[in-house]
Amino acid sequence: MDIILKNIRTVSAGRITEKDIAISGGIFREPENRRYEKEIDGRNLLAVPGFIDTHIHGIGGHGTEDGTEEAILGMSASLAEAGVTSFFPTIYTDTMERITMDERAIASAKGKEKGASIAGIHIEGPFISPNRIGAQNPAGRLDPSVQAMETMLDAGNGLIKEMTIAPELPGVGEIISIADKEGIVLSMGHTDATYEEALRGMEMGIRHTTHLFNAMSAFKHRNPGIVGCALMHDAMSVEIIGDGKHVHPDIVKYVIESKGRDKTIIITDSLRPTMQKEGMLTANGVEVMMGDGLWVTKGKPDLIQGSSLTMHKAFVNLVSWGVPLDTASYITSTSAAKLYNLKDRGEIRNGLRADLVVMDSALRIQFTIINGEIVCGTTN
Protein backbone atom coordinates (compact mmCIF):
# COMPACT_ATOMS: atom_id res chain seq x y z
CA MET A 1 0.00 0.00 0.00
CA ASP A 2 1.16 3.55 -0.83
CA ILE A 3 0.73 5.73 2.28
CA ILE A 4 1.61 9.28 3.18
CA LEU A 5 1.33 10.72 6.67
CA LYS A 6 1.34 14.50 6.43
CA ASN A 7 2.69 16.98 8.98
CA ILE A 8 3.29 14.39 11.67
CA ARG A 9 5.65 14.74 14.63
CA THR A 10 8.28 12.12 13.99
CA VAL A 11 11.08 10.57 16.02
CA SER A 12 13.78 9.96 13.44
CA ALA A 13 17.44 9.15 14.18
CA GLY A 14 16.81 10.07 17.80
CA ARG A 15 15.44 13.53 17.00
CA ILE A 16 11.92 14.94 16.87
CA THR A 17 10.82 16.79 13.74
CA GLU A 18 7.55 17.54 11.95
CA LYS A 19 7.55 16.05 8.47
CA ASP A 20 5.70 14.01 5.87
CA ILE A 21 6.33 10.26 5.91
CA ALA A 22 5.85 8.37 2.65
CA ILE A 23 5.62 4.59 2.39
CA SER A 24 5.68 2.52 -0.78
CA GLY A 25 6.39 -1.16 -1.31
CA GLY A 26 6.85 -1.65 2.42
CA ILE A 27 9.70 0.89 2.52
CA PHE A 28 10.04 4.46 3.75
CA ARG A 29 10.46 6.69 0.69
CA GLU A 30 11.11 10.34 -0.08
CA PRO A 31 7.68 12.06 -0.17
CA GLU A 32 6.52 12.93 -3.69
CA ASN A 33 4.00 15.47 -4.96
CA ARG A 34 1.46 12.90 -6.11
CA ARG A 35 -1.71 11.15 -4.97
CA TYR A 36 -1.20 8.29 -2.54
CA GLU A 37 -3.52 5.35 -2.02
CA LYS A 38 -3.86 6.34 1.63
CA GLU A 39 -3.38 9.90 2.87
CA ILE A 40 -3.37 10.51 6.64
CA ASP A 41 -3.54 13.86 8.38
CA GLY A 42 -0.76 13.61 10.95
CA ARG A 43 -1.48 16.79 12.85
CA ASN A 44 -1.64 16.15 16.62
CA LEU A 45 -0.13 12.69 16.09
CA LEU A 46 3.29 11.23 16.87
CA ALA A 47 5.15 8.60 14.82
CA VAL A 48 7.90 6.51 16.38
CA PRO A 49 9.83 3.55 15.00
CA GLY A 50 8.00 0.29 15.69
CA PHE A 51 8.92 -1.19 19.05
CA ILE A 52 11.35 -4.12 19.04
CA ASP A 53 11.03 -6.59 21.95
CA THR A 54 14.02 -8.91 22.18
CA HIS A 55 12.97 -10.67 25.38
CA ILE A 56 9.37 -11.88 25.52
CA HIS A 57 8.01 -15.30 26.49
CA GLY A 58 4.36 -14.74 25.70
CA ILE A 59 1.38 -12.44 25.33
CA GLY A 60 -2.35 -12.66 24.63
CA GLY A 61 -2.65 -16.17 26.06
CA HIS A 62 0.06 -17.51 23.73
CA GLY A 63 3.58 -18.45 24.77
CA THR A 64 6.75 -19.98 23.43
CA GLU A 65 6.27 -22.78 25.98
CA ASP A 66 3.23 -23.93 23.98
CA GLY A 67 5.64 -25.23 21.37
CA THR A 68 3.31 -24.60 18.43
CA GLU A 69 3.32 -22.47 15.32
CA GLU A 70 -0.18 -21.29 16.26
CA ALA A 71 1.07 -19.89 19.58
CA ILE A 72 3.91 -17.94 17.96
CA LEU A 73 1.54 -16.47 15.37
CA GLY A 74 -0.85 -15.59 18.20
CA MET A 75 1.98 -13.72 19.91
CA SER A 76 2.68 -11.89 16.66
CA ALA A 77 -0.91 -10.67 16.38
CA SER A 78 -1.18 -9.54 20.00
CA LEU A 79 2.16 -7.75 19.89
CA ALA A 80 1.06 -5.56 16.99
CA GLU A 81 -1.75 -4.23 19.20
CA ALA A 82 0.95 -3.07 21.63
CA GLY A 83 2.99 -1.36 18.91
CA VAL A 84 5.62 -4.10 18.55
CA THR A 85 6.73 -4.57 14.96
CA SER A 86 9.60 -7.05 15.53
CA PHE A 87 10.29 -9.53 18.32
CA PHE A 88 12.49 -12.35 19.55
CA PRO A 89 10.27 -15.16 20.90
CA THR A 90 12.18 -16.11 24.03
CA ILE A 91 12.55 -19.75 25.05
CA TYR A 92 12.82 -20.81 28.68
CA THR A 93 15.53 -23.09 29.99
CA ASP A 94 13.99 -26.55 29.82
CA THR A 95 14.84 -30.04 28.64
CA MET A 96 16.58 -30.13 25.30
CA GLU A 97 13.50 -31.82 23.84
CA ARG A 98 11.31 -28.87 24.89
CA ILE A 99 13.80 -26.21 23.81
CA THR A 100 14.17 -27.68 20.33
CA MET A 101 10.40 -28.18 20.01
CA ASP A 102 9.91 -24.48 20.76
CA GLU A 103 12.63 -23.53 18.29
CA ARG A 104 11.05 -25.54 15.52
CA ALA A 105 7.66 -23.93 16.21
CA ILE A 106 9.21 -20.47 15.84
CA ALA A 107 11.06 -21.43 12.66
CA SER A 108 7.82 -22.83 11.22
CA ALA A 109 5.94 -19.60 12.04
CA LYS A 110 8.59 -17.37 10.47
CA GLY A 111 7.18 -15.75 7.31
CA LYS A 112 3.55 -16.43 8.23
CA GLU A 113 3.13 -13.57 10.72
CA LYS A 114 0.10 -11.27 10.44
CA GLY A 115 1.43 -8.93 13.11
CA ALA A 116 4.89 -8.37 14.57
CA SER A 117 7.72 -9.95 12.58
CA ILE A 118 9.90 -12.68 14.05
CA ALA A 119 13.37 -11.14 13.93
CA GLY A 120 15.19 -13.92 15.76
CA ILE A 121 15.12 -16.32 18.70
CA HIS A 122 16.38 -15.62 22.21
CA ILE A 123 17.16 -18.74 24.24
CA GLU A 124 17.28 -17.86 27.94
CA GLY A 125 19.77 -20.56 28.89
CA PRO A 126 20.25 -23.45 29.24
CA PHE A 127 23.84 -22.71 30.30
CA ILE A 128 22.91 -20.84 33.47
CA SER A 129 23.79 -20.98 37.17
CA PRO A 130 21.99 -23.50 39.39
CA ASN A 131 21.93 -20.73 42.03
CA ARG A 132 20.03 -18.25 39.82
CA ILE A 133 17.40 -20.41 38.12
CA GLY A 134 14.50 -18.02 38.74
CA ALA A 135 11.38 -19.16 36.86
CA GLN A 136 13.38 -21.51 34.61
CA ASN A 137 13.10 -25.31 34.78
CA PRO A 138 16.08 -26.61 36.79
CA ALA A 139 15.78 -29.98 35.02
CA GLY A 140 16.91 -28.30 31.81
CA ARG A 141 19.90 -26.43 33.19
CA LEU A 142 23.23 -27.52 31.69
CA ASP A 143 26.88 -26.72 31.96
CA PRO A 144 28.16 -25.51 28.58
CA SER A 145 28.08 -28.34 26.04
CA VAL A 146 29.12 -28.17 22.41
CA GLN A 147 26.76 -31.03 21.60
CA ALA A 148 23.78 -29.22 23.18
CA MET A 149 24.74 -26.01 21.40
CA GLU A 150 24.89 -27.75 18.03
CA THR A 151 21.51 -29.38 18.69
CA MET A 152 19.97 -25.97 19.38
CA LEU A 153 21.62 -24.45 16.32
CA ASP A 154 20.18 -27.18 14.10
CA ALA A 155 16.65 -26.73 15.48
CA GLY A 156 16.86 -22.93 15.28
CA ASN A 157 17.35 -22.91 11.52
CA GLY A 158 19.64 -19.87 11.67
CA LEU A 159 17.22 -17.79 13.77
CA ILE A 160 19.05 -17.74 17.12
CA LYS A 161 20.13 -14.14 17.71
CA GLU A 162 20.64 -14.12 21.48
CA MET A 163 21.48 -16.60 24.20
CA THR A 164 21.60 -15.98 27.95
CA ILE A 165 24.62 -17.59 29.63
CA ALA A 166 26.37 -17.60 33.00
CA PRO A 167 30.01 -16.61 32.35
CA GLU A 168 31.38 -18.44 35.40
CA LEU A 169 30.47 -21.91 34.13
CA PRO A 170 33.19 -24.34 32.96
CA GLY A 171 33.50 -24.68 29.19
CA VAL A 172 31.99 -21.29 28.41
CA GLY A 173 34.86 -20.46 26.03
CA GLU A 174 33.77 -23.06 23.47
CA ILE A 175 30.23 -21.63 23.45
CA ILE A 176 31.60 -18.12 22.96
CA SER A 177 33.60 -19.31 19.97
CA ILE A 178 30.57 -20.97 18.35
CA ALA A 179 28.32 -17.98 19.05
CA ASP A 180 30.83 -15.62 17.49
CA LYS A 181 30.91 -17.67 14.29
CA GLU A 182 27.10 -17.82 14.18
CA GLY A 183 26.54 -14.12 14.89
CA ILE A 184 24.77 -14.83 18.19
CA VAL A 185 24.86 -12.20 20.93
CA LEU A 186 25.71 -13.83 24.26
CA SER A 187 24.21 -12.16 27.31
CA MET A 188 25.19 -12.54 30.97
CA GLY A 189 22.15 -13.63 32.92
CA HIS A 190 20.84 -16.08 35.50
CA THR A 191 24.37 -15.94 36.85
CA ASP A 192 26.12 -15.88 40.22
CA ALA A 193 29.43 -14.71 38.77
CA THR A 194 31.86 -12.66 40.79
CA TYR A 195 33.10 -9.39 39.37
CA GLU A 196 36.33 -11.07 38.25
CA GLU A 197 34.41 -13.86 36.52
CA ALA A 198 32.22 -11.27 34.81
CA LEU A 199 35.29 -9.40 33.59
CA ARG A 200 36.74 -12.62 32.15
CA GLY A 201 33.47 -13.29 30.38
CA MET A 202 33.45 -9.76 28.97
CA GLU A 203 37.04 -10.07 27.78
CA MET A 204 36.18 -13.39 26.09
CA GLY A 205 33.24 -11.84 24.24
CA ILE A 206 30.07 -11.86 26.42
CA ARG A 207 29.16 -8.19 26.29
CA HIS A 208 25.44 -7.93 26.92
CA THR A 209 23.33 -8.49 30.05
CA THR A 210 19.93 -10.15 30.46
CA HIS A 211 17.35 -8.17 32.50
CA LEU A 212 19.95 -6.16 34.42
CA PHE A 213 19.71 -6.48 38.24
CA ASN A 214 17.35 -9.47 38.07
CA ALA A 215 18.63 -13.06 38.52
CA MET A 216 22.28 -12.05 38.80
CA SER A 217 24.96 -11.28 41.37
CA ALA A 218 24.25 -7.87 42.87
CA PHE A 219 26.41 -4.77 43.07
CA LYS A 220 28.36 -4.66 46.34
CA HIS A 221 31.20 -2.34 47.22
CA ARG A 222 33.61 -5.23 47.80
CA ASN A 223 32.30 -7.40 44.96
CA PRO A 224 30.67 -5.40 42.16
CA GLY A 225 29.37 -8.61 40.54
CA ILE A 226 27.67 -8.76 37.15
CA VAL A 227 25.84 -5.49 37.77
CA GLY A 228 29.08 -3.64 38.46
CA CYS A 229 30.71 -5.10 35.36
CA ALA A 230 27.75 -4.06 33.21
CA LEU A 231 27.56 -0.52 34.58
CA MET A 232 31.26 0.30 34.81
CA HIS A 233 32.54 -0.94 31.45
CA ASP A 234 31.80 0.70 28.11
CA ALA A 235 32.09 -2.63 26.27
CA MET A 236 28.96 -3.87 28.05
CA SER A 237 25.40 -3.19 26.93
CA VAL A 238 22.31 -3.92 28.99
CA GLU A 239 18.67 -4.87 28.67
CA ILE A 240 16.33 -3.79 31.43
CA ILE A 241 12.66 -4.48 32.18
CA GLY A 242 10.78 -1.20 31.91
CA ASP A 243 7.86 -1.85 34.25
CA GLY A 244 9.12 0.03 37.31
CA LYS A 245 8.51 -3.14 39.33
CA HIS A 246 11.52 -5.31 38.54
CA VAL A 247 13.77 -2.24 38.76
CA HIS A 248 12.94 1.07 40.45
CA PRO A 249 12.16 3.84 37.92
CA ASP A 250 14.96 6.07 39.22
CA ILE A 251 17.46 3.25 38.73
CA VAL A 252 16.16 2.69 35.20
CA LYS A 253 16.77 6.39 34.50
CA TYR A 254 20.22 6.18 36.05
CA VAL A 255 21.14 3.21 33.87
CA ILE A 256 19.99 5.05 30.73
CA GLU A 257 22.02 8.11 31.67
CA SER A 258 25.04 6.05 32.70
CA LYS A 259 25.18 3.59 29.81
CA GLY A 260 23.80 5.87 27.13
CA ARG A 261 21.04 5.05 24.70
CA ASP A 262 23.21 2.99 22.32
CA LYS A 263 24.02 0.59 25.17
CA THR A 264 20.54 0.36 26.71
CA ILE A 265 17.66 -1.79 25.47
CA ILE A 266 14.22 -1.83 27.10
CA ILE A 267 12.47 -5.20 27.13
CA THR A 268 9.27 -6.61 28.62
CA ASP A 269 10.11 -10.19 29.64
CA SER A 270 6.33 -10.54 29.31
CA LEU A 271 4.59 -13.82 30.08
CA ARG A 272 1.82 -15.74 28.34
CA PRO A 273 -1.19 -14.23 30.20
CA THR A 274 -0.28 -10.60 29.46
CA MET A 275 -3.22 -9.07 27.51
CA GLN A 276 -5.04 -12.43 27.74
CA LYS A 277 -8.80 -11.85 27.50
CA GLU A 278 -10.21 -15.16 28.76
CA GLY A 279 -9.33 -18.63 30.02
CA MET A 280 -6.97 -19.93 32.69
CA LEU A 281 -3.90 -17.77 33.30
CA THR A 282 -0.70 -19.81 33.15
CA ALA A 283 2.96 -19.11 32.55
CA ASN A 284 5.38 -21.92 31.75
CA GLY A 285 2.90 -24.43 33.18
CA VAL A 286 2.28 -22.52 36.44
CA GLU A 287 -1.14 -21.01 37.23
CA VAL A 288 -0.67 -17.32 37.95
CA MET A 289 -2.57 -14.25 39.09
CA MET A 290 -1.89 -10.52 39.03
CA GLY A 291 -0.10 -9.10 42.05
CA ASP A 292 1.04 -5.46 42.12
CA GLY A 293 1.46 -5.34 38.36
CA LEU A 294 3.39 -8.63 38.17
CA TRP A 295 2.40 -12.21 37.47
CA VAL A 296 2.72 -14.20 40.69
CA THR A 297 1.99 -17.83 41.51
CA LYS A 298 -1.72 -18.28 42.22
CA GLY A 299 -2.23 -18.63 45.96
CA LYS A 300 1.41 -17.66 46.63
CA PRO A 301 1.65 -13.91 45.95
CA ASP A 302 5.25 -13.72 47.17
CA LEU A 303 6.43 -16.00 44.33
CA ILE A 304 6.94 -13.71 41.33
CA GLN A 305 6.71 -15.47 37.97
CA GLY A 306 7.36 -12.47 35.74
CA SER A 307 6.26 -9.37 33.90
CA SER A 308 2.90 -8.23 32.58
CA LEU A 309 4.51 -5.37 30.65
CA THR A 310 3.99 -4.38 27.03
CA MET A 311 6.46 -2.31 25.02
CA HIS A 312 3.90 0.46 24.62
CA LYS A 313 3.44 0.61 28.40
CA ALA A 314 7.23 0.63 28.82
CA PHE A 315 7.48 3.59 26.42
CA VAL A 316 4.75 5.47 28.30
CA ASN A 317 6.46 4.63 31.61
CA LEU A 318 9.78 6.02 30.42
CA VAL A 319 8.21 9.29 29.33
CA SER A 320 6.27 9.58 32.60
CA TRP A 321 9.51 9.05 34.53
CA GLY A 322 11.09 12.02 32.78
CA VAL A 323 13.08 10.23 30.08
CA PRO A 324 13.10 12.46 26.97
CA LEU A 325 10.65 11.22 24.36
CA ASP A 326 13.33 10.81 21.69
CA THR A 327 15.46 8.73 24.07
CA ALA A 328 12.46 6.61 25.10
CA SER A 329 11.83 5.88 21.43
CA TYR A 330 15.48 5.09 20.72
CA ILE A 331 15.85 2.52 23.52
CA THR A 332 12.58 0.77 22.68
CA SER A 333 13.56 0.25 19.04
CA THR A 334 16.73 1.69 17.52
CA SER A 335 19.27 0.41 20.06
CA ALA A 336 18.02 -3.17 19.69
CA ALA A 337 18.16 -2.98 15.90
CA LYS A 338 21.78 -1.82 16.12
CA LEU A 339 22.94 -4.36 18.70
CA TYR A 340 21.42 -7.32 16.85
CA ASN A 341 22.44 -6.09 13.41
CA LEU A 342 18.86 -5.68 12.17
CA LYS A 343 20.03 -3.23 9.54
CA ASP A 344 16.71 -2.83 7.74
CA ARG A 345 14.66 -1.51 10.67
CA GLY A 346 14.65 0.49 13.90
CA GLU A 347 14.46 3.98 12.40
CA ILE A 348 12.05 6.05 10.32
CA ARG A 349 14.49 6.60 7.48
CA ASN A 350 14.22 6.37 3.71
CA GLY A 351 15.13 2.92 2.43
CA LEU A 352 14.33 1.04 5.64
CA ARG A 353 11.37 -1.23 6.40
CA ALA A 354 8.26 0.84 7.08
CA ASP A 355 7.66 -0.19 10.70
CA LEU A 356 6.12 2.46 12.90
CA VAL A 357 3.66 3.20 15.68
CA VAL A 358 1.37 6.24 15.54
CA MET A 359 0.11 7.68 18.82
CA ASP A 360 -2.04 10.63 19.81
CA SER A 361 -0.98 13.48 22.12
CA ALA A 362 -1.79 11.32 25.16
CA LEU A 363 0.51 8.57 23.80
CA ARG A 364 -2.38 6.23 23.06
CA ILE A 365 -1.74 3.96 20.06
CA GLN A 366 -3.87 4.87 17.06
CA PHE A 367 -2.44 2.35 14.61
CA THR A 368 0.60 0.20 13.89
CA ILE A 369 2.27 -0.16 10.50
CA ILE A 370 4.42 -3.22 9.85
CA ASN A 371 6.39 -3.61 6.64
CA GLY A 372 4.27 -0.90 5.05
CA GLU A 373 0.86 -2.35 6.01
CA ILE A 374 -1.58 -0.99 8.58
CA VAL A 375 -2.09 -4.11 10.72
CA CYS A 376 -4.23 -2.79 13.57
CA GLY A 377 -5.91 0.34 14.85
CA THR A 378 -7.76 3.05 12.96
CA THR A 379 -6.54 5.85 10.71
CA ASN A 380 -9.80 7.81 10.86
Side-chain angles (χ1 to χ4, degrees):
M1 177 182 288
D2 279 1
I3 304 171
I4 189 163
L5 300 93
K6 292 191 171 182
N7 303 309
I8 188 166
R9 286 180 73 215
T10 305
V11 178
S12 179
R15 297 187 300 275
I16 302 174
T17 59
E18 185 175 296
K19 59 189 285 187
D20 293 349
I21 301 174
I23 297 170
S24 181
I27 302 294
F28 292 119
R29 310 281 187 183
E30 186 69 25
E32 299 175 349
N33 185 21
R34 64 177 177 85
R35 182 176 294 278
Y36 284 79
E37 187 178 351
K38 182 80 172 177
E39 295 192 4
I40 299 170
D41 183 355
R43 287 174 296 181
N44 301 316
L45 296 177
L46 170 72
V48 301
F51 303 131
I52 300 174
D53 194 350
T54 57
H55 190 152
I56 176 168
H57 296 281
I59 192 169
H62 310 282
T64 57
E65 68 265 36
D66 295 333
T68 67
E69 177 186 298
E70 179 185 17
I72 304 305
L73 295 177
M75 288 177 65
S76 167
S78 293
L79 283 166
E81 296 178 27
V84 175
T85 56
S86 296
F87 72 115
F88 289 179
T90 302
I91 297 173
Y92 294 98
T93 287
D94 211 316
T95 64
M96 193 54 53
E97 179 182 6
R98 288 301 305 268
I99 288 175
T100 54
M101 178 182 73
D102 296 343
E103 287 183 275
R104 285 190 287 269
I106 297 166
S108 177
K110 174 71 173 171
K112 301 173 184 175
E113 309 95 309
K114 301 298 183 184
S117 298
I118 298 165
I121 293 173
H122 175 184
I123 302 181
E124 196 173 0
F127 311 133
I128 57 177
S129 168
N131 300 322
R132 299 283 182 170
I133 289 290
Q136 312 297 318
N137 180 1
R141 193 214 72 85
L142 296 172
D143 281 339
S145 157
V146 171
Q147 180 180 359
M149 186 69 174
E150 290 176 345
T151 297
M152 290 184 287
L153 286 172
D154 288 344
N157 198 31
L159 285 176
I160 302 174
K161 292 288 187 181
E162 180 180 3
M163 179 174 286
T164 295
I165 192 167
E168 71 272 25
L169 296 179
V172 73
E174 291 179 298
I175 303 304
I176 293 171
S177 178
I178 294 171
D180 183 61
K181 292 177 183 176
E182 298 291 335
I184 298 169
V185 172
L186 291 180
S187 184
M188 299 185 191
H190 289 275
T191 166
D192 212 23
T194 64
Y195 179 63
E196 289 73 23
E197 289 168 334
L199 286 180
R200 282 198 294 273
M202 179 186 73
E203 290 163 359
M204 293 172 70
I206 311 175
R207 293 178 181 161
H208 192 47
T209 44
T210 296
H211 44 49
L212 183 67
F213 297 104
N214 302 120
M216 63 178 57
S217 51
F219 182 89
K220 298 178 182 178
H221 62 290
R222 290 192 178 92
N223 179 11
I226 293 286
V227 172
C229 177
L231 291 178
M232 293 190 292
H233 293 274
D234 290 342
M236 295 295 295
S237 57
V238 303
E239 66 169 43
I240 191 165
I241 302 171
D243 60 0
K245 305 291 183 180
H246 283 80
V247 181
H248 191 282
D250 285 346
I251 295 180
V252 175
K253 288 174 62 180
Y254 167 76
V255 170
I256 296 166
E257 292 165 3
S258 174
K259 294 302 298 181
R261 60 188 189 180
D262 277 316
K263 296 287 187 176
T264 306
I265 294 173
I266 298 296
I267 52 99
T268 67
D269 201 5
S270 167
L271 304 187
R272 190 178 186 275
T274 300
M275 288 179 58
Q276 185 174 335
K277 296 178 174 62
E278 59 184 10
M280 182 181 291
L281 304 178
T282 65
N284 202 21
V286 176
E287 192 170 359
V288 297
M289 64 182 187
M290 183 61 65
D292 190 28
L294 299 168
W295 294 116
V296 299
T297 303
K298 188 173 182 180
K300 298 179 180 179
D302 292 335
L303 294 179
I304 296 173
Q305 288 295 322
S307 162
S308 65
L309 187 65
T310 67
M311 286 298 285
H312 174 242
K313 177 59 176 173
F315 176 82
V316 172
N317 283 345
L318 291 168
V319 175
S320 73
W321 299 338
V323 176
L325 191 148
D326 56 327
T327 298
S329 172
Y330 198 95
I331 62 178
T332 52
S333 181
T334 310
S335 57
K338 290 186 174 183
L339 179 68
Y340 295 102
N341 203 30
L342 306 175
K343 295 181 179 179
D344 63 342
R345 67 197 75 187
E347 295 181 61
I348 299 174
R349 179 160 56 87
N350 292 345
L352 297 189
R353 264 178 55 126
D355 291 345
L356 57 82
V357 184
V358 174
M359 291 176 269
D360 64 16
S361 58
L363 301 183
R364 294 172 298 215
I365 293 177
Q366 300 302 293
F367 55 93
T368 303
I369 295 177
I370 300 177
N371 205 21
E373 297 293 329
I374 299 169
V375 296
C376 63
T378 176
T379 59
N380 295 329

